[in-house]
Amino acid sequence: RYCTIEACPVHPLETDDFNAGVMRDLKDWTNITPNVYLWHYVTNFSHYFMPHPNWRSLPQDIKTFSRLKVKGVFLQGAFNAPHADFPEMRSWIAARLLLNPELKSEDLQKEFIQAYYGNAAGPLRRYLDLLMDGALQDEKSHLTCYSQPKDYAFMTPEWTARATKYMEEARKSVSGNKAQLERVNRAALSVEYAMAMRSFEWRQAKNPVSVDPIGLTKAFLTKAKASGALRLNEAESMEMSEARMLGGR
């Protein structure tokens, strides 16, 4: 069993220098034995609700695992925060690709979003493109499965304003469908968490942004707990996270 804990989830394992060591070790193991099982990560364990920009890299990585004849793949997400960052769509797309790595992930994403979110599909796809374009704008910028909010430098006040706009458009487009509106509200939690966490840094910037980090955090916590989240990260209880965050840390 080999795990990819040191990898950057934004960039494909096979084509990015940051991931070269992980890829080299994986190839070495597959050359030694045909019984390699892979433990791969699809969340940020330090911040379950931070948007996890692996939508373009994961399909490529699964194709790489298939080519190397990896025998089995386990994708670990945020099981104790069941609605953190599009888990339904990420799980469905991953399951389809694990069965057939040659499927086009863009087509799968379109199919799922349309079926699950209905008329909110357009704004949500624009949000996901915004997320990935932002994460990939600096090729030398990398994340891990333990990155901190400060590492998401592309999530500026302007970026979060656009992301929030897309989520509001998504809500309005399904306002008459209770089930789909609830799904959109859960999807928006990632944007709300990112804004709350990044806003602490914005207040301390050279040109501070007028924002209320504690107010944003309180609003997020109320919604996250209502969604069924038991934890916000793997290390702390919900109570510990709440005390830390409301204390400005």
Side-chain angles (χ1 to χ4, degrees), residues 202-216:
W202 300 339
R203 283 283 297 269
Q204 300 170 7
K206 184 176 181 180
N207 296 307
V209 176
S210 179
V211 67
D212 178 13
I214 299 301
L216 291 170

Side-chain angles (χ1 to χ4, degrees), residues 12-65:
L13 291 176
E14 195 164 27
T15 59
D16 187 72
D17 290 344
F18 184 91
N19 293 327
V22 173
M23 192 64 204
R24 181 183 62 249
D25 291 346
L26 177 57
K27 286 181 177 179
D28 287 347
W29 276 112
T30 57
N31 286 332
I32 293 171
T33 174
N35 296 313
V36 173
Y37 290 82
L38 199 72
W39 194 313
H40 197 52
Y41 304 96
V42 292
T43 190
N44 179 339
F45 294 104
S46 295
H47 296 273
Y48 286 152
F49 280 90
M50 281 300 282
H52 197 63
N54 71 338
W55 297 104
R56 296 177 188 170
S57 62
L58 182 60
Q60 296 181 59
D61 290 342
I62 290 176
K63 189 173 289 189
T64 296
F65 303 154

Side-chain angles (χ1 to χ4, degrees), residues 39-212:
W39 194 313
H40 197 52
Y41 304 96
V42 292
T43 190
N44 179 339
F45 294 104
S46 295
H47 296 273
Y48 286 152
F49 280 90
M50 281 300 282
H52 197 63
N54 71 338
W55 297 104
R56 296 177 188 170
S57 62
L58 182 60
Q60 296 181 59
D61 290 342
I62 290 176
K63 189 173 289 189
T64 296
F65 303 154
S66 175
R67 182 178 57 77
L68 293 176
K69 301 189 185 306
V70 168
K71 198 163 188 177
V73 177
F74 170 62
L75 301 177
Q76 183 178 353
F79 73 93
N80 41 12
H83 300 297
D85 191 36
F86 292 91
E88 302 90 349
M89 180 164 67
R90 185 174 277 110
S91 297
W92 186 82
I93 290 176
R96 295 290 304 276
L97 291 172
L98 287 169
L99 288 171
N100 182 0
E102 299 304 319
L103 293 175
K104 293 183 178 180
S105 60
E106 296 87 352
D107 293 343
L108 294 174
Q109 188 182 90
K110 288 179 183 178
E111 180 181 350
F112 184 93
I113 288 183
Q114 188 62 55
Y116 196 67
Y117 296 104
N119 291 335
L124 292 179
R125 282 187 56 79
R126 287 192 287 275
Y127 160 72
L128 291 170
D129 285 340
L130 177 72
L131 172 64
M132 290 310 310
D133 291 345
L136 290 166
Q137 66 185 4
D138 182 356
E139 293 183 0
K140 296 182 180 180
S141 178
H142 298 281
L143 300 173
T144 71
C145 59
Y146 286 99
S147 288
Q148 296 301 311
K150 65 180 178 60
D151 300 320
Y152 295 74
F154 69 92
M155 292 185 181
T156 61
E158 295 76 20
W159 185 94
T160 55
R162 287 185 63 190
T164 300
K165 175 178 176 288
Y166 291 144
M167 289 301 174
E168 287 304 316
E169 290 176 357
R171 286 188 177 102
K172 290 178 182 178
S173 67
V174 293
S175 60
N177 187 311
K178 184 178 179 180
Q180 290 176 344
L181 178 59
E182 182 178 352
R183 294 167 188 169
V184 170
N185 285 333
R186 293 199 302 255
L189 284 172
S190 289
V191 173
E192 294 169 23
Y193 183 80
M195 189 171 182
M197 293 298 95
R198 291 284 292 153
S199 65
F200 286 100
E201 183 177 337
W202 300 339
R203 283 283 297 269
Q204 300 170 7
K206 184 176 181 180
N207 296 307
V209 176
S210 179
V211 67
D212 178 13

